[in-house]
Amino acid sequence: MMNDTTLKDWRALAEKELKASPDKLNWETPEGITLKPLYTAEDLADVDHLGSLPGFEPFVRGPRATMYTGRPWTIRQYAGFSTAEASNAFYRKALAAGQQGVSVAFDLATHRGYDSDHPRVEGDVGKAGVAIDSVEDMKILFDGLPLGKISVSMTMNGAVIPILANFIVAAEEQRVSRVDLSGTIQNDVLKEFMVRNTYIYPPEPSMRIVADIIEYTAKEMPKFNSISISGYHMQEAGATLVQELAFTLADGREYVRAAVKKGLDVDEFGGRLSFFFAIGMNFFMEAAKLRAARLLWSRIMSEFNPKKASSTMLRTHCQTSGVSLQEQDPYNNITRTAFEAMSAVLGGTQSLHTNSFDEAIALPTEFSARIARNTQLILQHETGVTKVVDPLAGSYYVESLTNELAGKAWALIEEIETMGGMTKAVNEGLPKRLIEAAAARRQAAIDRSEEVIVGVNRYRLENEDEIDILDIDNTAVRASQIKRIAETKRRRDPKVVEATLATLTEIARSSRGNLLAAAVEAARARATVGEISDAMRAAFGDHSATPEVVHGVYREAYDNDPEMKVLAERLADYAKKSGIKPKIMVAKLGQDGHDRGAKVIASAFGDIGFDVLSGPLFQTPEEVADIAIEANVAVVGVSSLAAGHKTLVTQLIGALKAKGADEIIVVVGGVIPKQDYQFLLDHGVAAVFGPATNTLYAARAVLDLIEGKLRNA
């Protein structure tokens, strides 16, 4: 019963105030959840989890009884800067300034299992993370850091075996036993096939790697989390919160099945599984998502009949959204990150990374990283959020959201089950298709200003000041890494290295033995990351994905839009005059697998009326030039995220010129600092499209370039 008034009376009052029915204020979220302007006790009539308490199944209110009142969340900063020396210096300062654990970001060459001297990674070494080639690098990375006392998180999936092996050996040589190591290795390869694409091997052998790591750590590293099941990269790639929740938990279920199939009891490893979620700008929905995740994971784990309650308990790390960060008016990103951090905390995260305000432009500077870290310190010490367990509990709105998210996510999880589980769903491409469609839909909403982003599509500044950014000298980093590789190889015993690598390959081929145990022996002998990866490549082969582009989503969003109509007419007129549709190749150079931007552009340009070729991932500039020439494209649009644009795009233009194809127009889009625009233009790039460029604007600009080329021909 409502105090003083009834719901009917409220509706009448609302209609009077709004001059419209309050139902017209209903908002349907991208998840398909209808949000009402008012929630009451009636909305909780069918919610079953309301009686639960923190620390007890199904853990909706938190995995620990006292939550932050007993111990606040762990403050982390995910970082890796070019060399092991530079990263080590950053970690030391961060720990002294209040950070409570180390989270390592590796460069893309390392992620893909290549040594720094490999010709395919010339533009990637030391960009977007630290380069690690052997135990010698790993020892420098953690020099002076007490590995037996601090928690170390490592985001690594493709080359997870050599990286974890190197970490174990580096700790040994610091005289820290593996039983005393605490932290987390991501080891979540299924999401790589869906969104992030830093895979190496096909799905089935990749699942074998996951299971071997779970087995090894369960027996040898009791304090170490063997897997961090990640939804973060799904949301960053465009997934709705329901998709992020469902696919992440379905991945987790698949990993548990793989470990059980290997003969492990669920209680041997269930308590060491962890999760990793993105926290975006839908404040209450994100908090509800974490509560729903704990509810559903408890349900999933009960299928395996664990004896320990800790085996059904979802523990999670969270990171504020990178996609929500904007190049335009970037100081707004400090505010965005603070709200996202508060949402993660109200949802009950166990650890948290806050992004720096300049990460939409480049790697964070020391100044921006300090602001991001202090955001968490202020949350812990000045806001009072640590004084009460689950302060949102009982909220009509949040409890209703928790229930709706759980219901929709469970329905999607069940759909995956009917396909035979997540590995089969990934092989059939279902999650990837759904996520890419959601990403295209959201981009259209942003381009049309239906979704407001302050400083980007509303309230934009006329003039913006440049900010200081971190610029990595990729050439110098690669040269120093190559020198260290050569020295490491000179000092090792080649026969021992060869024997350990042969053993690793045989274990991979035969499925007898543990891959991580064999890799530890190889790392101890100073086999490199690339050599260990190649030893498994010899047995497993490489995975190669076929690019697919979503069609129709962008066109549907712009149905009857006058700007879209004019552009489509221009394209039709060009095709009539020239005899062919204007053709553009959307290309990814180097080892950067983040292809959300590339896929959105390919989808949108195709819907607008261009003939679009979506190029394969992980291409060298030479390979892209060959594909572009063979396909007779008018434009190559390079999508860049990982800061290798100055090296790789210059090489692409050189390759086109050397092949007599310098008539092909090259444009670049993505995370490009404004300070780099002129460099690219001076080296032959026709146009640069920075973050948050309106897609229709980019399409018009590209068509202008093509028409100009035709007129001047």
Side-chain angles (χ1 to χ4, degrees):
M1 194 74 181
M2 299 198 175
N3 294 329
D4 303 324
T5 189
T6 66
L7 190 55
K8 183 179 178 182
D9 293 332
W10 176 85
R11 289 184 182 280
L13 183 59
E15 283 185 34
K16 183 179 178 182
E17 289 179 358
L18 299 169
K19 297 179 181 170
S21 166
D23 289 337
K24 290 185 178 178
L25 286 180
N26 290 352
W27 173 52
E28 185 167 301
T29 73
E31 293 75 21
I33 294 173
T34 301
L35 300 183
K36 304 184 298 182
L38 178 70
Y39 283 79
T40 69
E42 292 181 13
D43 293 292
L44 304 185
D46 298 321
V47 176
D48 296 329
H49 67 257
L50 291 179
S52 65
L53 290 171
F56 294 89
E57 293 184 57
F59 305 107
V60 176
R61 300 191 61 186
R64 295 172 57 241
T66 54
M67 287 301 288
Y68 308 141
T69 64
R71 185 180 71 209
W73 67 92
T74 302
I75 296 173
R76 291 187 177 276
Q77 290 301 101
Y78 175 54
F81 296 93
S82 62
T83 63
E85 291 89 344
S87 299
N88 176 263
F90 177 87
Y91 298 151
R92 288 182 183 227
K93 287 180 183 177
L95 289 168
Q99 186 172 308
Q100 295 154 334
V102 171
S103 295
V104 183
F106 298 96
D107 73 355
L108 290 166
T110 306
H111 272 290
R112 293 267 296 142
Y114 292 113
D115 288 334
S116 297
D117 57 0
H118 198 286
R120 296 196 72 86
V121 299
E122 187 176 345
D124 296 300
V125 176
K127 293 285 191 181
V130 61
I132 297 293
D133 293 309
S134 74
V135 171
E136 298 305 321
D137 291 323
M138 196 70 84
K139 286 169 68 176
I140 294 168
L141 186 67
F142 294 113
D143 181 46
L145 303 183
L147 290 180
K149 296 179 181 177
I150 63 167
S151 171
V152 175
S153 172
M154 293 180 285
T155 299
M156 180 52 65
N157 301 282
V160 63
I161 287 283
I163 286 299
L164 188 50
N166 276 305
F167 175 66
I168 291 166
V169 175
E172 280 178 4
E173 296 184 12
Q174 201 190 81
R175 297 186 179 177
V176 178
S177 169
R178 68 191 70 162
V179 300
D180 294 321
L181 292 172
S182 64
T184 305
I185 189 80
Q186 192 163 96
N187 192 29
D188 174 12
V189 78
L190 285 175
K191 67 99 173 45
E192 299 296 328
F193 298 111
M194 283 186 260
V195 290
R196 191 162 175 256
N197 300 313
T198 50
Y199 46 69
I200 299 174
Y201 316 108
E204 287 77 11
S206 295
M207 287 296 292
R208 156 99 186 278
I209 287 170
V210 171
D212 276 17
I213 289 171
I214 293 173
E215 178 185 54
Y216 183 95
T217 53
K219 294 174 180 176
E220 303 285 339
M221 303 168 73
K223 297 180 181 179
F224 201 81
N225 296 326
S226 56
I227 191 167
S228 174
I229 305 153
S230 173
Y232 182 88
H233 303 95
M234 298 178 198
Q235 188 181 138
E236 292 290 278
T240 68
L241 270 61
V242 164
Q243 290 169 351
E244 180 191 8
L245 193 54
F247 296 150
T248 304
L249 298 181
D251 281 352
R253 180 191 248 165
E254 198 85 339
Y255 295 137
V256 172
R257 284 173 175 160
V260 169
K261 188 177 178 181
K262 205 159 173 59
L264 293 174
D265 184 278
V266 69
D267 287 319
E268 289 184 80
F269 64 89
R272 303 312 309 176
L273 302 176
S274 69
F275 287 80
F276 175 29
F277 287 104
I279 303 296
M281 286 298 289
N282 193 335
F283 186 87
F284 290 106
M285 185 85 84
E286 291 285 6
K289 179 185 74 181
L290 299 185
R291 303 171 92 250
R294 290 190 290 269
L295 171 69
L296 295 181
W297 186 244
S298 177
R299 184 186 301 174
I300 286 170
M301 287 300 280
S302 66
E303 299 167 6
F304 299 95
N305 300 313
K307 305 290 189 299
K308 299 177 182 176
S310 61
S311 297
T312 69
M313 185 189 296
L314 182 144
R315 288 158 293 264
T316 190
H317 170 71
C318 289
Q319 181 173 337
T320 58
S321 171
V323 166
S324 72
L325 303 180
Q326 303 300 325
E327 178 197 42
Q328 294 78 11
D329 205 359
Y331 292 109
N332 288 340
N333 294 332
I334 298 171
T335 306
R336 291 184 179 104
T337 295
F339 282 128
E340 290 168 349
M342 175 70 89
S343 179
V345 167
L346 292 177
T349 189
Q350 278 59 72
S351 69
L352 179 62
H353 165 85
T354 33
N355 288 331
S356 300
F357 73 86
D358 50 359
E359 286 186 65
I361 306 163
L363 286 172
T365 62
E366 198 168 307
F367 168 72
S368 65
R370 177 170 60 85
I371 293 173
R373 183 170 56 251
N374 286 350
T375 299
Q376 293 198 54
L377 291 170
I378 290 166
L379 265 177
Q380 283 193 356
H381 297 288
E382 297 187 30
T383 63
V385 294
T386 62
K387 307 301 182 186
V388 177
V389 178
D390 192 19
L392 294 182
S395 158
Y396 300 144
Y397 177 39
V398 172
E399 298 292 12
S400 179
L401 275 182
T402 301
N403 193 53
E404 284 222 54
L405 278 167
K408 286 188 175 293
W410 189 253
L412 187 49
I413 290 169
E414 291 293 271
E415 181 182 344
I416 291 162
E417 283 296 284
T418 64
M419 297 178 71
M422 201 58 177
T423 303
K424 289 186 178 178
V426 166
N427 275 329
E428 292 180 27
L430 172 73
K432 196 171 186 69
R433 283 195 302 274
L434 292 179
I435 291 171
E436 287 173 3
R441 203 170 289 115
R442 181 168 186 243
Q443 187 59 48
I446 293 169
D447 287 345
R448 290 172 60 83
S449 296
E450 292 166 358
E451 181 176 331
V452 175
I453 301 178
V454 174
V456 176
N457 59 10
R458 189 98 53 98
Y459 314 110
R460 187 157 184 169
L461 292 176
E462 286 188 24
N463 298 297
E464 295 183 24
D465 295 331
E466 284 189 1
I467 64 170
D468 291 332
I469 63 167
L470 184 68
D471 190 23
I472 301 295
D473 185 349
N474 163 252
T475 304
V477 174
R478 188 166 185 257
S480 69
Q481 289 299 122
I482 290 172
K483 185 177 178 182
R484 187 175 294 146
I485 290 170
E487 179 62 17
T488 299
K489 288 183 176 180
R490 186 186 67 79
R491 297 175 61 180
R492 70 190 188 180
D493 185 332
K495 289 184 179 179
V496 175
V497 174
E498 187 179 337
T500 59
L501 292 174
T503 299
L504 179 57
T505 300
E506 178 54 32
I507 288 172
R509 283 198 177 116
S510 67
S511 297
R512 290 190 297 272
N514 186 284
L515 292 166
L516 179 55
V520 167
E521 295 303 316
R524 198 177 283 127
R526 292 314 191 258
T528 66
V529 168
E531 288 171 333
I532 293 172
S533 298
D534 285 346
M536 292 187 290
R537 273 190 177 100
F540 297 150
D542 281 283
H543 178 70
S544 179
T546 303
E548 293 181 12
V549 178
V550 172
H551 297 290
V553 173
Y554 206 85
R555 187 187 303 117
E556 181 183 331
Y558 271 88
D559 191 33
N560 297 321
D561 181 89
E563 281 190 79
M564 180 77 145
K565 187 177 179 183
V566 168
L567 187 53
E569 287 171 354
R570 281 184 62 194
L571 283 160
D573 186 52
Y574 174 90
K576 187 176 179 180
K577 287 178 181 176
S578 64
I580 56 168
K581 273 186 175 183
K583 190 168 187 178
I584 179 171
M585 175 184 180
V586 180
K588 294 290 292 182
L589 292 171
Q591 302 305 306
D592 174 20
H594 293 82
D595 62 352
R596 172 183 177 153
K599 289 296 182 64
V600 166
I601 288 297
S603 176
F605 272 50
D607 281 357
I608 290 166
F610 286 86
D611 183 1
V612 178
L613 169 62
S614 183
L617 291 171
F618 313 126
Q619 298 296 285
T620 65
E622 189 87 9
E623 289 166 342
V624 169
D626 287 339
I627 294 170
I629 292 166
E630 185 179 348
N632 194 29
V633 304
V635 178
V636 174
V638 178
S639 174
S640 178
L641 183 73
H645 48 271
K646 288 166 82 172
T647 301
L648 295 169
V649 174
T650 305
Q651 290 177 352
L652 170 62
I653 291 169
L656 288 169
K657 188 173 183 179
K659 296 171 188 290
D662 51 351
E663 79 282 356
I664 294 177
I665 299 164
V666 176
V667 299
V668 182
V671 180
I672 315 289
K674 285 184 179 175
Q675 291 91 319
D676 291 351
Y677 284 18
Q678 196 58 51
F679 173 91
L680 293 170
L681 295 171
D682 289 344
H683 285 78
V685 171
V688 181
F689 305 107
T693 297
N694 182 284
T695 308
L696 281 186
Y697 166 82
R700 282 196 302 271
V702 169
L703 183 54
D704 288 344
L705 290 168
I706 295 171
E707 288 179 331
K709 201 84 170 179
L710 182 65
R711 282 194 299 270
N712 296 327

